[in-house]
């Protein structure tokens, strides 16, 4: 896979004739040499270890991705009440939804902590990589705690009139409303 992507990069460098193509080609050769050295000397024989490592990375990326989604307003939200309350109460309903979601994430972080504590006490290890089990399980409480903190920040932002944690559509609607009110005030 690396060979294919490196070959495509070299072809693009030579075809595009960028002014610094020689430096980029030299950098590509150095990176390739380092990659080959590390692969031949430090990776174990066979691919049995890759499943375990992929699993650990998948758990971390998945749970940390939930925290990033909460930050960008792309995660699941409690917003049913927002549709039925007057617009003046909208930000308070958003804050209430964020607090409820933060409490749920905090509860899941506590459960994840208990699970990770058990994994740490059992001192289990993955068979092929010899990585401790807790390295994967600690992702659950860490990510849920970060997500809870982000939702608390979103609640505070909502109460103060900000848009942290709001969906991109809600931000666009709020920006349009703010612009309309400033244009109306200027006239």
């Amino acid at each position: 896979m690396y060979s294919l992507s490196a070959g495509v990069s070299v072809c693009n460098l030579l075809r595009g004739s960028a002014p610094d193509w020689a430096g980029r080609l030299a950098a590509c050769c150095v990176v390739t040499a380092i990659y080959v050295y590390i692969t031949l000397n430090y990776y174990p024989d066979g691919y049995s270890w890759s499943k375990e490592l992929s699993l650990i990375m998948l758990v971390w990326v998945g749970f940390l991705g939930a925290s990033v989604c909460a930050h960008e307003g792309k995660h699941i939200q409690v917003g049913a009440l927002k549709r039925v309350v007057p617009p003046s109460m909208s930000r308070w309903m958003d804050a209430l939804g964020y607090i409820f979601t933060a409490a749920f994430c905090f509860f899941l972080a506590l459960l994840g902590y208990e699970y990770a504590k058990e994994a740490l006490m059992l001192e289990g290890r993955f068979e092929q990589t010899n990585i401790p089990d807790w390295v994967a399980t600690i992702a659950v409480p860490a990510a849920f705690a970060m997500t809870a903190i982000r939702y608390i920040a979103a609640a505070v932002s909502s109460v103060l009139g900000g848009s942290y944690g709001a969906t991109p559509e809600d931000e666009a609607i709020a920006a349009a409303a703010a612009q309309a009110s400033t244009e109306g005030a200027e006239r």
Side-chain angles (χ1 to χ4, degrees):
M1 187 61 155
Y2 178 79
S3 304
L4 180 64
S5 62
V8 169
S9 297
V10 168
C11 287
N12 284 337
L13 279 175
L14 295 177
R15 187 174 40 147
S17 63
D20 60 344
W21 68 270
R24 290 184 182 199
L25 184 61
C28 186
C29 290
V30 168
V31 168
T32 301
I34 292 171
Y35 173 76
V36 168
Y37 175 77
I38 290 172
T39 302
L40 293 177
N41 292 317
Y42 294 104
Y43 282 99
D45 293 334
Y47 293 105
S48 58
W49 56 271
S50 65
K51 283 184 182 179
E52 290 178 359
L53 191 59
S54 296
L55 175 71
I56 293 169
M57 291 190 301
L58 178 70
V59 168
W60 275 97
V61 168
F63 279 105
L64 292 178
S67 177
V68 171
C69 287
H71 167 67
E72 294 179 358
K74 295 179 180 177
H75 205 286
I76 191 168
Q77 295 183 5
V78 180
L81 290 177
K82 183 180 176 182
R83 308 270 188 247
V84 294
V85 297
S88 61
M89 295 293 294
S90 176
R91 67 181 183 164
W92 296 101
M93 287 298 114
D94 281 345
L96 184 64
Y98 289 139
I99 292 295
F100 178 75
T101 308
F104 184 72
C105 288
F106 182 71
F107 173 71
L108 290 176
L110 288 176
L111 290 178
Y113 170 76
E114 290 298 323
Y115 182 67
K117 191 168 71 171
E118 285 290 320
L120 188 60
M121 284 194 288
L122 292 175
E123 297 179 2
R125 293 189 169 273
F126 285 95
E127 189 175 319
Q128 299 294 322
T129 57
N130 204 26
I131 295 174
D133 286 343
W134 64 265
V135 171
T137 58
I138 199 75
V140 175
F144 274 117
M146 283 191 291
T147 305
I149 291 168
R150 288 187 189 268
Y151 276 121
I152 290 169
V156 171
S157 175
S158 180
V159 168
L160 297 177
S163 63
Y164 180 88
T167 63
E169 294 83 23
D170 288 345
E171 283 185 14
I173 291 169
Q179 181 152 359
S181 66
T182 56
E183 288 176 358
E186 290 175 359
R187 291 182 187 174

